[in-house]
């Protein structure tokens, strides 16, 4: 349920993804995430809710995929360590952000 309240966490990740040419070419522009996608997704918080691993389905203009987010909270902001999109048929992983 914590992820349900974190609109900025996944919306900013989608904004990053929508600026990636490979994402646009492969799945198209990603639509805003609906609440059902968040409820169906997987989230794992740690470090007193200051770190998150989140996986939610996303819908693009061309096809659908999974948005994977690994981030740490800094105050009210999220610092993204890794954002990537996974697709099926063909299986593909598109790295949007990957920080050590």
């Amino acid at each position: 349920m914590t992820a349900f309240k974190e609109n900025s966490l996944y919306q900013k990740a989608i904004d990053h993804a929508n600026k990636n040419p490979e994402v646009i070419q492969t799945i198209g522009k990603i639509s805003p995430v609906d609440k059902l996608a968040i409820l169906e997704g997987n989230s794992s918080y740690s470090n007193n809710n200051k770190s998150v691993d989140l996986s939610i389905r996303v819908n693009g203009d061309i096809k659908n995929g999974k948005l994977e987010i690994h981030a740490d909270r800094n105050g009210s902001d999220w610092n993204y360590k890794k954002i990537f999109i996974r697709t099926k048929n063909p299986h593909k992983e598109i790295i949007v952000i990957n920080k050590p």
Side-chain angles (χ1 to χ4, degrees), residues 4-71:
F4 196 75
K5 298 184 252 180
E6 299 283 359
N7 286 347
S8 67
L9 171 65
Y10 45 84
Q11 188 54 54
K12 287 181 182 178
I14 288 171
D15 292 345
H16 284 292
N18 278 334
K19 294 176 185 171
N20 182 296
E22 189 176 2
V23 171
I24 298 300
Q25 181 181 8
T26 304
I27 70 170
K29 184 176 179 184
I30 300 171
S31 302
V33 174
D34 61 54
K35 300 297 183 186
L36 184 58
I38 298 162
L39 290 174
E40 292 174 343
N42 295 314
S43 61
S44 174
Y45 284 82
S46 60
N47 193 20
N48 291 326
N49 287 341
K50 292 182 181 176
S51 296
V52 66
D53 294 323
L54 177 68
S55 174
I56 55 174
R57 70 173 163 79
V58 290
N59 300 319
D61 294 336
I62 300 169
K63 66 188 302 184
N64 300 331
K66 288 277 187 179
L67 174 67
E68 304 279 344
I69 302 169
H70 305 279

Side-chain angles (χ1 to χ4, degrees), residues 79-97:
N79 295 322
Y80 297 99
K81 296 187 297 186
K82 189 169 186 179
I83 299 172
F84 62 98
I85 304 285
R86 288 185 295 125
T87 64
K88 293 182 181 178
N89 300 326
H91 175 72
K92 189 171 191 175
E93 186 175 288
I94 305 166
I95 303 295
V96 176
I97 292 177

